[in-house]
Amino acid sequence: MLAAPALSAASFSAIRELIRAVAGIAMTPEKEELVKARLASRLRELKLSAYEEYLERVKTDRVELSNMVDVLTTNKTSFFREPQHFDYLVQTVFPIWKAERRPRQIWSAGCSSGEEPYTLSMLLQAHLPTLEVRILATDLSLRVLTRAKAARYTEAVVQDVPSELRRKYLRHVPGEGTFQVAPEVTSRVSFARLNLMGDWPMKGPFDLILCRNVMIYFTDDTRTMLAQRYAALLSERGVLMIGHAESLASLEQPLRLIKPAIYAR
Ligand SMILES: C[S@@+](CC[C@H](N)C(=O)[O-])C[C@H]1O[C@@H](n2cnc3c(N)ncnc32)[C@H](O)[C@@H]1O
């Protein structure tokens, strides 16, 4: 493989500025090698020989700008990631929903390749099969949304699903070694592209919003702005879940912490 071209300080700084403006992501100077390596693949694909040419290209090419954001963002996710959140839902939130029996709306903001919304949907199917609950799942990256909509995962990925739910809601695809999420689980999830930094067309209110392991890459100002916007979209007694490595403490926002990484209006 060819070595990546040199990345000047000015170009690295321009790339950092662009990714912050487009996606809200604050990249530290330590990310220089990572940026260089990941964008080198885009340069090769486009047959460009310098990052400066690439920067010129993304100024006018929206598709390539989206590719750039794709390769520079982290999409790591898994089924039942941070299981304390799902335990809380099953033990505390679902019994209330079951008793009140009205339609509910959930938003998985920054859903990556779909494991998070499908985890929610499997649990709903298992615990509240007749309740009307819709899940909106959004992400900035078209690449992960395509994978999410396909709803097909490798054997290694589905290992995180408890065996009983795996048996019920994941169908083995013969000859492929992959698993397809069952229609009763996929049907309550709608995927859409949405940049959290832009306008939000949905009105809510949402009974539950998950924005987990997304805000970790944002500045405090962006986190504050997002927490305020989430609070405005939550129903009364609505819940916001963030990643356990994230915090809203010290930010000016109206939600109160009720459990680690769980906030309520
Ligand atoms: C690390 S994944 C987290 C996935 C899942 N929520 C979880 O906790 O497993 C972060 C996701 O946030 C998305 N993301 C980053 N910046 C975004 C933005 N400005 N708007 C929408 N999504 C964004 C990325 O594309 C990525 O798929």
Side-chain angles (χ1 to χ4, degrees), residues 23 25 73-78 81 110 112 116 139-141 144 194-197 212-214 218:
I25 295 167
T73 48
T74 304
N75 307 116
K76 183 181 174 308
T77 187
S78 54
R81 182 179 194 183
S112 191
E116 180 176 278
D139 202 283
L140 173 62
S141 162
V144 291
L194 182 88
N195 186 346
L196 292 169
M197 303 302 290
R212 307 186 314 154
N213 307 298
V214 179
F218 296 163

mmCIF file with all atom_site columns, all heavy atoms in Angstrom, residues 23 25 73-78 81 110 112 116 139-141 144 194-197 212-214 218, ligand 1:
data_model
loop_
_atom_site.group_PDB
_atom_site.id
_atom_site.type_symbol
_atom_site.label_atom_id
_atom_site.label_alt_id
_atom_site.label_comp_id
_atom_site.label_asym_id
_atom_site.label_entity_id
_atom_site.label_seq_id
_atom_site.pdbx_PDB_ins_code
_atom_site.Cartn_x
_atom_site.Cartn_y
_atom_site.Cartn_z
_atom_site.occupancy
_atom_site.B_iso_or_equiv
_atom_site.pdbx_formal_charge
_atom_site.auth_seq_id
_atom_site.auth_comp_id
_atom_site.auth_asym_id
_atom_site.auth_atom_id
_atom_site.pdbx_PDB_model_num
ATOM   1   N N   . ALA A 1 23  ? -20.400 18.646 11.842 1.00 0.00 ? 23  ALA A N   1
ATOM   2   C CA  . ALA A 1 23  ? -20.966 17.600 12.702 1.00 0.00 ? 23  ALA A CA  1
ATOM   3   C C   . ALA A 1 23  ? -20.885 17.924 14.186 1.00 0.00 ? 23  ALA A C   1
ATOM   4   O O   . ALA A 1 23  ? -21.361 17.144 15.010 1.00 0.00 ? 23  ALA A O   1
ATOM   5   C CB  . ALA A 1 23  ? -20.253 16.276 12.427 1.00 0.00 ? 23  ALA A CB  1
ATOM   6   N N   . ILE A 1 25  ? -18.298 17.865 15.946 1.00 0.00 ? 25  ILE A N   1
ATOM   7   C CA  . ILE A 1 25  ? -17.296 17.009 16.577 1.00 0.00 ? 25  ILE A CA  1
ATOM   8   C C   . ILE A 1 25  ? -15.994 17.775 16.800 1.00 0.00 ? 25  ILE A C   1
ATOM   9   O O   . ILE A 1 25  ? -15.452 18.387 15.874 1.00 0.00 ? 25  ILE A O   1
ATOM   10  C CB  . ILE A 1 25  ? -17.063 15.752 15.708 1.00 0.00 ? 25  ILE A CB  1
ATOM   11  C CG1 . ILE A 1 25  ? -18.360 14.939 15.683 1.00 0.00 ? 25  ILE A CG1 1
ATOM   12  C CG2 . ILE A 1 25  ? -15.898 14.921 16.217 1.00 0.00 ? 25  ILE A CG2 1
ATOM   13  C CD1 . ILE A 1 25  ? -18.402 13.856 14.656 1.00 0.00 ? 25  ILE A CD1 1
ATOM   14  N N   . THR A 1 73  ? -15.876 9.716  11.713 1.00 0.00 ? 73  THR A N   1
ATOM   15  C CA  . THR A 1 73  ? -16.665 9.514  12.934 1.00 0.00 ? 73  THR A CA  1
ATOM   16  C C   . THR A 1 73  ? -16.555 8.059  13.392 1.00 0.00 ? 73  THR A C   1
ATOM   17  O O   . THR A 1 73  ? -16.255 7.165  12.609 1.00 0.00 ? 73  THR A O   1
ATOM   18  C CB  . THR A 1 73  ? -18.158 9.866  12.724 1.00 0.00 ? 73  THR A CB  1
ATOM   19  O OG1 . THR A 1 73  ? -18.611 9.243  11.530 1.00 0.00 ? 73  THR A OG1 1
ATOM   20  C CG2 . THR A 1 73  ? -18.378 11.349 12.632 1.00 0.00 ? 73  THR A CG2 1
ATOM   21  N N   . THR A 1 74  ? -16.826 7.870  14.670 1.00 0.00 ? 74  THR A N   1
ATOM   22  C CA  . THR A 1 74  ? -16.743 6.537  15.264 1.00 0.00 ? 74  THR A CA  1
ATOM   23  C C   . THR A 1 74  ? -18.145 5.960  15.335 1.00 0.00 ? 74  THR A C   1
ATOM   24  O O   . THR A 1 74  ? -19.041 6.593  15.882 1.00 0.00 ? 74  THR A O   1
ATOM   25  C CB  . THR A 1 74  ? -16.152 6.654  16.688 1.00 0.00 ? 74  THR A CB  1
ATOM   26  O OG1 . THR A 1 74  ? -14.911 7.300  16.546 1.00 0.00 ? 74  THR A OG1 1
ATOM   27  C CG2 . THR A 1 74  ? -15.968 5.314  17.337 1.00 0.00 ? 74  THR A CG2 1
ATOM   28  N N   . ASN A 1 75  ? -18.328 4.778  14.794 1.00 0.00 ? 75  ASN A N   1
ATOM   29  C CA  . ASN A 1 75  ? -19.666 4.183  14.749 1.00 0.00 ? 75  ASN A CA  1
ATOM   30  C C   . ASN A 1 75  ? -19.793 2.968  15.665 1.00 0.00 ? 75  ASN A C   1
ATOM   31  O O   . ASN A 1 75  ? -20.748 2.208  15.565 1.00 0.00 ? 75  ASN A O   1
ATOM   32  C CB  . ASN A 1 75  ? -20.006 3.763  13.308 1.00 0.00 ? 75  ASN A CB  1
ATOM   33  C CG  . ASN A 1 75  ? -19.829 4.898  12.324 1.00 0.00 ? 75  ASN A CG  1
ATOM   34  O OD1 . ASN A 1 75  ? -18.996 4.835  11.427 1.00 0.00 ? 75  ASN A OD1 1
ATOM   35  N ND2 . ASN A 1 75  ? -20.591 5.957  12.507 1.00 0.00 ? 75  ASN A ND2 1
ATOM   36  N N   . LYS A 1 76  ? -18.834 2.802  16.550 1.00 0.00 ? 76  LYS A N   1
ATOM   37  C CA  . LYS A 1 76  ? -18.822 1.611  17.416 1.00 0.00 ? 76  LYS A CA  1
ATOM   38  C C   . LYS A 1 76  ? -20.143 1.498  18.184 1.00 0.00 ? 76  LYS A C   1
ATOM   39  O O   . LYS A 1 76  ? -20.603 2.462  18.795 1.00 0.00 ? 76  LYS A O   1
ATOM   40  C CB  . LYS A 1 76  ? -17.665 1.747  18.404 1.00 0.00 ? 76  LYS A CB  1
ATOM   41  C CG  . LYS A 1 76  ? -17.480 0.576  19.323 1.00 0.00 ? 76  LYS A CG  1
ATOM   42  C CD  . LYS A 1 76  ? -16.308 0.874  20.262 1.00 0.00 ? 76  LYS A CD  1
ATOM   43  C CE  . LYS A 1 76  ? -16.100 -0.160 21.326 1.00 0.00 ? 76  LYS A CE  1
ATOM   44  N NZ  . LYS A 1 76  ? -17.240 -0.528 22.122 1.00 0.00 ? 76  LYS A NZ  1
ATOM   45  N N   . THR A 1 77  ? -20.730 0.328  18.140 1.00 0.00 ? 77  THR A N   1
ATOM   46  C CA  . THR A 1 77  ? -21.979 0.091  18.859 1.00 0.00 ? 77  THR A CA  1
ATOM   47  C C   . THR A 1 77  ? -22.130 -1.401 19.079 1.00 0.00 ? 77  THR A C   1
ATOM   48  O O   . THR A 1 77  ? -21.318 -2.188 18.588 1.00 0.00 ? 77  THR A O   1
ATOM   49  C CB  . THR A 1 77  ? -23.188 0.655  18.068 1.00 0.00 ? 77  THR A CB  1
ATOM   50  O OG1 . THR A 1 77  ? -24.360 0.555  18.881 1.00 0.00 ? 77  THR A OG1 1
ATOM   51  C CG2 . THR A 1 77  ? -23.419 -0.065 16.745 1.00 0.00 ? 77  THR A CG2 1
ATOM   52  N N   . SER A 1 78  ? -23.142 -1.811 19.830 1.00 0.00 ? 78  SER A N   1
ATOM   53  C CA  . SER A 1 78  ? -23.423 -3.244 19.965 1.00 0.00 ? 78  SER A CA  1
ATOM   54  C C   . SER A 1 78  ? -24.836 -3.420 20.510 1.00 0.00 ? 78  SER A C   1
ATOM   55  O O   . SER A 1 78  ? -25.415 -2.491 21.074 1.00 0.00 ? 78  SER A O   1
ATOM   56  C CB  . SER A 1 78  ? -22.411 -3.921 20.896 1.00 0.00 ? 78  SER A CB  1
ATOM   57  O OG  . SER A 1 78  ? -22.355 -3.256 22.127 1.00 0.00 ? 78  SER A OG  1
ATOM   58  N N   . ARG A 1 81  ? -25.736 -2.756 24.539 1.00 0.00 ? 81  ARG A N   1
ATOM   59  C CA  . ARG A 1 81  ? -24.599 -1.992 25.061 1.00 0.00 ? 81  ARG A CA  1
ATOM   60  C C   . ARG A 1 81  ? -25.056 -1.232 26.309 1.00 0.00 ? 81  ARG A C   1
ATOM   61  O O   . ARG A 1 81  ? -26.138 -0.663 26.319 1.00 0.00 ? 81  ARG A O   1
ATOM   62  C CB  . ARG A 1 81  ? -24.138 -1.001 23.989 1.00 0.00 ? 81  ARG A CB  1
ATOM   63  C CG  . ARG A 1 81  ? -22.938 -0.198 24.393 1.00 0.00 ? 81  ARG A CG  1
ATOM   64  C CD  . ARG A 1 81  ? -22.540 0.732  23.269 1.00 0.00 ? 81  ARG A CD  1
ATOM   65  N NE  . ARG A 1 81  ? -21.220 1.279  23.494 1.00 0.00 ? 81  ARG A NE  1
ATOM   66  C CZ  . ARG A 1 81  ? -20.651 2.174  22.683 1.00 0.00 ? 81  ARG A CZ  1
ATOM   67  N NH1 . ARG A 1 81  ? -21.289 2.586  21.606 1.00 0.00 ? 81  ARG A NH1 1
ATOM   68  N NH2 . ARG A 1 81  ? -19.458 2.638  22.938 1.00 0.00 ? 81  ARG A NH2 1
ATOM   69  N N   . GLY A 1 110 ? -28.381 9.168  16.999 1.00 0.00 ? 110 GLY A N   1
ATOM   70  C CA  . GLY A 1 110 ? -27.020 8.637  16.838 1.00 0.00 ? 110 GLY A CA  1
ATOM   71  C C   . GLY A 1 110 ? -27.086 7.126  16.973 1.00 0.00 ? 110 GLY A C   1
ATOM   72  O O   . GLY A 1 110 ? -26.445 6.519  17.825 1.00 0.00 ? 110 GLY A O   1
ATOM   73  N N   . SER A 1 112 ? -26.262 4.718  14.893 1.00 0.00 ? 112 SER A N   1
ATOM   74  C CA  . SER A 1 112 ? -25.243 3.930  14.200 1.00 0.00 ? 112 SER A CA  1
ATOM   75  C C   . SER A 1 112 ? -25.900 2.818  13.362 1.00 0.00 ? 112 SER A C   1
ATOM   76  O O   . SER A 1 112 ? -26.928 3.053  12.730 1.00 0.00 ? 112 SER A O   1
ATOM   77  C CB  . SER A 1 112 ? -24.212 3.394  15.202 1.00 0.00 ? 112 SER A CB  1
ATOM   78  O OG  . SER A 1 112 ? -23.124 2.853  14.496 1.00 0.00 ? 112 SER A OG  1
ATOM   79  N N   . GLU A 1 116 ? -28.774 -0.456 18.638 1.00 0.00 ? 116 GLU A N   1
ATOM   80  C CA  . GLU A 1 116 ? -29.465 0.186  19.774 1.00 0.00 ? 116 GLU A CA  1
ATOM   81  C C   . GLU A 1 116 ? -30.995 0.190  19.584 1.00 0.00 ? 116 GLU A C   1
ATOM   82  O O   . GLU A 1 116 ? -31.722 -0.300 20.456 1.00 0.00 ? 116 GLU A O   1
ATOM   83  C CB  . GLU A 1 116 ? -28.918 1.604  19.966 1.00 0.00 ? 116 GLU A CB  1
ATOM   84  C CG  . GLU A 1 116 ? -29.548 2.362  21.116 1.00 0.00 ? 116 GLU A CG  1
ATOM   85  C CD  . GLU A 1 116 ? -28.876 3.729  21.294 1.00 0.00 ? 116 GLU A CD  1
ATOM   86  O OE1 . GLU A 1 116 ? -27.810 3.798  21.915 1.00 0.00 ? 116 GLU A OE1 1
ATOM   87  O OE2 . GLU A 1 116 ? -29.431 4.724  20.790 1.00 0.00 ? 116 GLU A OE2 1
ATOM   88  N N   . ASP A 1 139 ? -29.268 9.076  12.365 1.00 0.00 ? 139 ASP A N   1
ATOM   89  C CA  . ASP A 1 139 ? -27.815 9.216  12.398 1.00 0.00 ? 139 ASP A CA  1
ATOM   90  C C   . ASP A 1 139 ? -27.414 10.150 11.258 1.00 0.00 ? 139 ASP A C   1
ATOM   91  O O   . ASP A 1 139 ? -28.157 10.326 10.290 1.00 0.00 ? 139 ASP A O   1
ATOM   92  C CB  . ASP A 1 139 ? -27.121 7.854  12.238 1.00 0.00 ? 139 ASP A CB  1
ATOM   93  C CG  . ASP A 1 139 ? -25.699 7.863  12.791 1.00 0.00 ? 139 ASP A CG  1
ATOM   94  O OD1 . ASP A 1 139 ? -24.794 8.404  12.117 1.00 0.00 ? 139 ASP A OD1 1
ATOM   95  O OD2 . ASP A 1 139 ? -25.489 7.356  13.911 1.00 0.00 ? 139 ASP A OD2 1
ATOM   96  N N   . LEU A 1 140 ? -26.226 10.697 11.405 1.00 0.00 ? 140 LEU A N   1
ATOM   97  C CA  . LEU A 1 140 ? -25.687 11.573 10.364 1.00 0.00 ? 140 LEU A CA  1
ATOM   98  C C   . LEU A 1 140 ? -25.138 10.765 9.188  1.00 0.00 ? 140 LEU A C   1
ATOM   99  O O   . LEU A 1 140 ? -25.148 11.212 8.045  1.00 0.00 ? 140 LEU A O   1
ATOM   100 C CB  . LEU A 1 140 ? -24.562 12.401 11.005 1.00 0.00 ? 140 LEU A CB  1
ATOM   101 C CG  . LEU A 1 140 ? -23.697 13.296 10.154 1.00 0.00 ? 140 LEU A CG  1
ATOM   102 C CD1 . LEU A 1 140 ? -24.536 14.364 9.486  1.00 0.00 ? 140 LEU A CD1 1
ATOM   103 C CD2 . LEU A 1 140 ? -22.633 13.956 11.024 1.00 0.00 ? 140 LEU A CD2 1
ATOM   104 N N   . SER A 1 141 ? -24.670 9.567  9.485  1.00 0.00 ? 141 SER A N   1
ATOM   105 C CA  . SER A 1 141 ? -23.936 8.794  8.483  1.00 0.00 ? 141 SER A CA  1
ATOM   106 C C   . SER A 1 141 ? -24.855 7.900  7.647  1.00 0.00 ? 141 SER A C   1
ATOM   107 O O   . SER A 1 141 ? -25.531 7.012  8.171  1.00 0.00 ? 141 SER A O   1
ATOM   108 C CB  . SER A 1 141 ? -22.893 7.925  9.204  1.00 0.00 ? 141 SER A CB  1
ATOM   109 O OG  . SER A 1 141 ? -22.452 6.897  8.361  1.00 0.00 ? 141 SER A OG  1
ATOM   110 N N   . VAL A 1 144 ? -23.840 4.016  7.837  1.00 0.00 ? 144 VAL A N   1
ATOM   111 C CA  . VAL A 1 144 ? -24.362 3.170  8.924  1.00 0.00 ? 144 VAL A CA  1
ATOM   112 C C   . VAL A 1 144 ? -25.870 2.972  8.793  1.00 0.00 ? 144 VAL A C   1
ATOM   113 O O   . VAL A 1 144 ? -26.394 1.913  9.139  1.00 0.00 ? 144 VAL A O   1
ATOM   114 C CB  . VAL A 1 144 ? -23.998 3.693  10.340 1.00 0.00 ? 144 VAL A CB  1
ATOM   115 C CG1 . VAL A 1 144 ? -22.524 3.550  10.604 1.00 0.00 ? 144 VAL A CG1 1
ATOM   116 C CG2 . VAL A 1 144 ? -24.495 5.092  10.602 1.00 0.00 ? 144 VAL A CG2 1
ATOM   117 N N   . LEU A 1 194 ? -30.279 12.400 10.054 1.00 0.00 ? 194 LEU A N   1
ATOM   118 C CA  . LEU A 1 194 ? -30.477 13.673 10.752 1.00 0.00 ? 194 LEU A CA  1
ATOM   119 C C   . LEU A 1 194 ? -29.155 14.111 11.367 1.00 0.00 ? 194 LEU A C   1
ATOM   120 O O   . LEU A 1 194 ? -28.523 13.347 12.099 1.00 0.00 ? 194 LEU A O   1
ATOM   121 C CB  . LEU A 1 194 ? -31.529 13.516 11.862 1.00 0.00 ? 194 LEU A CB  1
ATOM   122 C CG  . LEU A 1 194 ? -31.826 14.818 12.594 1.00 0.00 ? 194 LEU A CG  1
ATOM   123 C CD1 . LEU A 1 194 ? -32.929 15.585 11.891 1.00 0.00 ? 194 LEU A CD1 1
ATOM   124 C CD2 . LEU A 1 194 ? -32.232 14.568 14.035 1.00 0.00 ? 194 LEU A CD2 1
ATOM   125 N N   . ASN A 1 195 ? -28.761 15.333 11.049 1.00 0.00 ? 195 ASN A N   1
ATOM   126 C CA  . ASN A 1 195 ? -27.582 15.919 11.689 1.00 0.00 ? 195 ASN A CA  1
ATOM   127 C C   . ASN A 1 195 ? -28.051 16.621 12.952 1.00 0.00 ? 195 ASN A C   1
ATOM   128 O O   . ASN A 1 195 ? -28.872 17.542 12.896 1.00 0.00 ? 195 ASN A O   1
ATOM   129 C CB  . ASN A 1 195 ? -26.923 16.911 10.730 1.00 0.00 ? 195 ASN A CB  1
ATOM   130 C CG  . ASN A 1 195 ? -25.616 17.456 11.281 1.00 0.00 ? 195 ASN A CG  1
ATOM   131 O OD1 . ASN A 1 195 ? -25.311 17.298 12.471 1.00 0.00 ? 195 ASN A OD1 1
ATOM   132 N ND2 . ASN A 1 195 ? -24.849 18.095 10.429 1.00 0.00 ? 195 ASN A ND2 1
ATOM   133 N N   . LEU A 1 196 ? -27.558 16.184 14.096 1.00 0.00 ? 196 LEU A N   1
ATOM   134 C CA  . LEU A 1 196 ? -28.000 16.774 15.371 1.00 0.00 ? 196 LEU A CA  1
ATOM   135 C C   . LEU A 1 196 ? -27.683 18.261 15.453 1.00 0.00 ? 196 LEU A C   1
ATOM   136 O O   . LEU A 1 196 ? -28.280 18.983 16.243 1.00 0.00 ? 196 LEU A O   1
ATOM   137 C CB  . LEU A 1 196 ? -27.348 16.032 16.544 1.00 0.00 ? 196 LEU A CB  1
ATOM   138 C CG  . LEU A 1 196 ? -27.820 14.589 16.728 1.00 0.00 ? 196 LEU A CG  1
ATOM   139 C CD1 . LEU A 1 196 ? -26.944 13.856 17.734 1.00 0.00 ? 196 LEU A CD1 1
ATOM   140 C CD2 . LEU A 1 196 ? -29.281 14.556 17.168 1.00 0.00 ? 196 LEU A CD2 1
ATOM   141 N N   . MET A 1 197 ? -26.742 18.715 14.623 1.00 0.00 ? 197 MET A N   1
ATOM   142 C CA  . MET A 1 197 ? -26.371 20.133 14.637 1.00 0.00 ? 197 MET A CA  1
ATOM   143 C C   . MET A 1 197 ? -27.345 20.991 13.825 1.00 0.00 ? 197 MET A C   1
ATOM   144 O O   . MET A 1 197 ? -27.263 22.212 13.862 1.00 0.00 ? 197 MET A O   1
ATOM   145 C CB  . MET A 1 197 ? -24.967 20.326 14.050 1.00 0.00 ? 197 MET A CB  1
ATOM   146 C CG  . MET A 1 197 ? -23.892 19.538 14.733 1.00 0.00 ? 197 MET A CG  1
ATOM   147 S SD  . MET A 1 197 ? -23.807 19.949 16.466 1.00 0.00 ? 197 MET A SD  1
ATOM   148 C CE  . MET A 1 197 ? -23.155 21.601 16.355 1.00 0.00 ? 197 MET A CE  1
ATOM   149 N N   . ARG A 1 212 ? -26.650 8.141  23.204 1.00 0.00 ? 212 ARG A N   1
ATOM   150 C CA  . ARG A 1 212 ? -25.582 7.510  23.973 1.00 0.00 ? 212 ARG A CA  1
ATOM   151 C C   . ARG A 1 212 ? -24.299 7.424  23.147 1.00 0.00 ? 212 ARG A C   1
ATOM   152 O O   . ARG A 1 212 ? -24.312 7.007  21.991 1.00 0.00 ? 212 ARG A O   1
ATOM   153 C CB  . ARG A 1 212 ? -26.032 6.108  24.398 1.00 0.00 ? 212 ARG A CB  1
ATOM   154 C CG  . ARG A 1 212 ? -27.391 6.145  25.126 1.00 0.00 ? 212 ARG A CG  1
ATOM   155 C CD  . ARG A 1 212 ? -27.787 4.802  25.685 1.00 0.00 ? 212 ARG A CD  1
ATOM   156 N NE  . ARG A 1 212 ? -27.605 3.715  24.757 1.00 0.00 ? 212 ARG A NE  1
ATOM   157 C CZ  . ARG A 1 212 ? -27.407 2.451  25.126 1.00 0.00 ? 212 ARG A CZ  1
ATOM   158 N NH1 . ARG A 1 212 ? -27.370 2.141  26.408 1.00 0.00 ? 212 ARG A NH1 1
ATOM   159 N NH2 . ARG A 1 212 ? -27.259 1.511  24.221 1.00 0.00 ? 212 ARG A NH2 1
ATOM   160 N N   . ASN A 1 213 ? -23.221 7.837  23.767 1.00 0.00 ? 213 ASN A N   1
ATOM   161 C CA  . ASN A 1 213 ? -21.898 7.763  23.129 1.00 0.00 ? 213 ASN A CA  1
ATOM   162 C C   . ASN A 1 213 ? -21.831 8.578  21.843 1.00 0.00 ? 213 ASN A C   1
ATOM   163 O O   . ASN A 1 213 ? -21.168 8.192  20.885 1.00 0.00 ? 213 ASN A O   1
ATOM   164 C CB  . ASN A 1 213 ? -21.522 6.292  22.889 1.00 0.00 ? 213 ASN A CB  1
ATOM   165 C CG  . ASN A 1 213 ? -21.642 5.489  24.174 1.00 0.00 ? 213 ASN A CG  1
ATOM   166 O OD1 . ASN A 1 213 ? -20.945 5.777  25.132 1.00 0.00 ? 213 ASN A OD1 1
ATOM   167 N ND2 . ASN A 1 213 ? -22.555 4.543  24.221 1.00 0.00 ? 213 ASN A ND2 1
ATOM   168 N N   . VAL A 1 214 ? -22.554 9.667  21.819 1.00 0.00 ? 214 VAL A N   1
ATOM   169 C CA  . VAL A 1 214 ? -22.553 10.593 20.682 1.00 0.00 ? 214 VAL A CA  1
ATOM   170 C C   . VAL A 1 214 ? -21.971 11.931 21.148 1.00 0.00 ? 214 VAL A C   1
ATOM   171 O O   . VAL A 1 214 ? -21.041 12.466 20.546 1.00 0.00 ? 214 VAL A O   1
ATOM   172 C CB  . VAL A 1 214 ? -23.989 10.811 20.140 1.00 0.00 ? 214 VAL A CB  1
ATOM   173 C CG1 . VAL A 1 214 ? -23.979 11.799 18.980 1.00 0.00 ? 214 VAL A CG1 1
ATOM   174 C CG2 . VAL A 1 214 ? -24.623 9.493  19.718 1.00 0.00 ? 214 VAL A CG2 1
ATOM   175 N N   . PHE A 1 218 ? -18.489 15.988 21.387 1.00 0.00 ? 218 PHE A N   1
ATOM   176 C CA  . PHE A 1 218 ? -18.899 17.380 21.190 1.00 0.00 ? 218 PHE A CA  1
ATOM   177 C C   . PHE A 1 218 ? -18.309 18.300 22.262 1.00 0.00 ? 218 PHE A C   1
ATOM   178 O O   . PHE A 1 218 ? -17.929 17.849 23.339 1.00 0.00 ? 218 PHE A O   1
ATOM   179 C CB  . PHE A 1 218 ? -20.433 17.487 21.232 1.00 0.00 ? 218 PHE A CB  1
ATOM   180 C CG  . PHE A 1 218 ? -21.146 16.736 20.120 1.00 0.00 ? 218 PHE A CG  1
ATOM   181 C CD1 . PHE A 1 218 ? -22.498 16.451 20.224 1.00 0.00 ? 218 PHE A CD1 1
ATOM   182 C CD2 . PHE A 1 218 ? -20.478 16.325 18.980 1.00 0.00 ? 218 PHE A CD2 1
ATOM   183 C CE1 . PHE A 1 218 ? -23.166 15.766 19.213 1.00 0.00 ? 218 PHE A CE1 1
ATOM   184 C CE2 . PHE A 1 218 ? -21.134 15.644 17.963 1.00 0.00 ? 218 PHE A CE2 1
ATOM   185 C CZ  . PHE A 1 218 ? -22.485 15.363 18.084 1.00 0.00 ? 218 PHE A CZ  1
HETATM 186 C C1  . LIG B 2 .   ? -20.240 5.708  18.801 1.00 0.00 ? 1   LIG B C1  1
HETATM 187 S S1  . LIG B 2 .   ? -21.744 5.710  17.876 1.00 0.00 ? 1   LIG B S1  1
HETATM 188 C C2  . LIG B 2 .   ? -22.924 5.380  19.159 1.00 0.00 ? 1   LIG B C2  1
HETATM 189 C C3  . LIG B 2 .   ? -24.030 4.443  18.710 1.00 0.00 ? 1   LIG B C3  1
HETATM 190 C C4  . LIG B 2 .   ? -25.051 4.060  19.796 1.00 0.00 ? 1   LIG B C4  1
HETATM 191 N N1  . LIG B 2 .   ? -25.799 5.215  20.245 1.00 0.00 ? 1   LIG B N1  1
HETATM 192 C C5  . LIG B 2 .   ? -24.375 3.363  20.948 1.00 0.00 ? 1   LIG B C5  1
HETATM 193 O O1  . LIG B 2 .   ? -24.257 3.938  22.038 1.00 0.00 ? 1   LIG B O1  1
HETATM 194 O O2  . LIG B 2 .   ? -23.944 2.215  20.783 1.00 0.00 ? 1   LIG B O2  1
HETATM 195 C C6  . LIG B 2 .   ? -21.954 7.468  17.569 1.00 0.00 ? 1   LIG B C6  1
HETATM 196 C C7  . LIG B 2 .   ? -22.856 7.775  16.377 1.00 0.00 ? 1   LIG B C7  1
HETATM 197 O O3  . LIG B 2 .   ? -23.153 9.176  16.389 1.00 0.00 ? 1   LIG B O3  1
HETATM 198 C C8  . LIG B 2 .   ? -23.219 9.624  15.051 1.00 0.00 ? 1   LIG B C8  1
HETATM 199 N N2  . LIG B 2 .   ? -23.012 11.081 15.008 1.00 0.00 ? 1   LIG B N2  1
HETATM 200 C C9  . LIG B 2 .   ? -21.867 11.779 15.235 1.00 0.00 ? 1   LIG B C9  1
HETATM 201 N N3  . LIG B 2 .   ? -22.073 13.090 15.052 1.00 0.00 ? 1   LIG B N3  1
HETATM 202 C C10 . LIG B 2 .   ? -23.382 13.233 14.714 1.00 0.00 ? 1   LIG B C10 1
HETATM 203 C C11 . LIG B 2 .   ? -24.202 14.352 14.392 1.00 0.00 ? 1   LIG B C11 1
HETATM 204 N N4  . LIG B 2 .   ? -23.719 15.602 14.380 1.00 0.00 ? 1   LIG B N4  1
HETATM 205 N N5  . LIG B 2 .   ? -25.501 14.125 14.083 1.00 0.00 ? 1   LIG B N5  1
HETATM 206 C C12 . LIG B 2 .   ? -26.002 12.868 14.089 1.00 0.00 ? 1   LIG B C12 1
HETATM 207 N N6  . LIG B 2 .   ? -25.282 11.766 14.381 1.00 0.00 ? 1   LIG B N6  1
HETATM 208 C C13 . LIG B 2 .   ? -23.983 11.951 14.687 1.00 0.00 ? 1   LIG B C13 1
HETATM 209 C C14 . LIG B 2 .   ? -22.110 8.847  14.346 1.00 0.00 ? 1   LIG B C14 1
HETATM 210 O O4  . LIG B 2 .   ? -22.345 8.774  12.951 1.00 0.00 ? 1   LIG B O4  1
HETATM 211 C C15 . LIG B 2 .   ? -22.196 7.479  15.041 1.00 0.00 ? 1   LIG B C15 1
HETATM 212 O O5  . LIG B 2 .   ? -22.970 6.558  14.309 1.00 0.00 ? 1   LIG B O5  1
#
